[in-house]
């Protein structure tokens, strides 16, 4: 993991990085650490999603999902077979005005 939560002598909490051998959080409450870790996880998820989106939008879904990459039509068929919620999938045609 690279991080260790440590109880300070005054009862507050610190986070020590075993990668940099430095404190990265000090004087925190349990609630603050929960929020800090949640925000870190959310940021990692955002970065991962942006990388995946970049690959998909650039026409290279296999580099994002490897052998599990499906076309839209394949996913629609699997959804139907599994009684999914997609009732009327959008078509590939441009909408008429």
């Amino acid at each position: 993991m690279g991080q260790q939560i440590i109880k300070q002598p005054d009862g507050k909490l610190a986070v020590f990085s075993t990668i940099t051998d430095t404190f990265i959080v000090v004087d925190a409450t349990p609630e603050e650490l929960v929020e800090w870790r949640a925000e870190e996880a959310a940021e990692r998820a955002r970065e991962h999603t942006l990388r995946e989106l970049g690959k998909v939008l650039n026409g290279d879904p296999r580099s994002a999902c490897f052998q599990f990459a499906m076309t839209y039509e394949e996913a629609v068929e699997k959804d139907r077979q599994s009684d999914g919620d997609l009732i009327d999938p959008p078509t590939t045609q441009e909408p008429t005005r």
Side-chain angles (χ1 to χ4, degrees), residues 41-93:
E43 186 56 35
R44 284 191 304 274
R46 286 184 197 98
E47 290 168 1
H48 174 80
T49 301
L50 287 170
R51 282 192 303 273
E52 185 177 355
L53 279 170
K55 293 172 183 178
V56 170
L57 294 175
N58 283 325
D60 190 17
R62 288 208 182 274
S63 68
C65 299
F66 306 104
Q67 72 269 23
F68 304 109
M70 290 183 281
T71 65
Y72 181 76
E73 291 77 15
E74 290 168 332
V76 166
E77 183 58 31
K78 282 189 177 276
D79 182 77
R80 281 192 183 125
Q81 291 171 358
S82 299
D83 294 324
D85 292 333
L86 187 62
I87 296 168
D88 189 17
T91 64
T92 56
Q93 298 175 354

Side-chain angles (χ1 to χ4, degrees), residues 13 16 19-20 22 24 26 29 34-36 39 45 50 55 61 67 75 80-81 88 91 93 95-96:
L13 300 164
F16 187 81
I19 296 170
T20 62
T22 59
I24 53 179
V26 293
T29 65
V34 168
E35 289 305 310
W36 178 75
E39 189 53 43
L50 287 170
K55 293 172 183 178
Q67 72 269 23
R80 281 192 183 125
Q81 291 171 358
D88 189 17
T91 64
Q93 298 175 354
T96 56

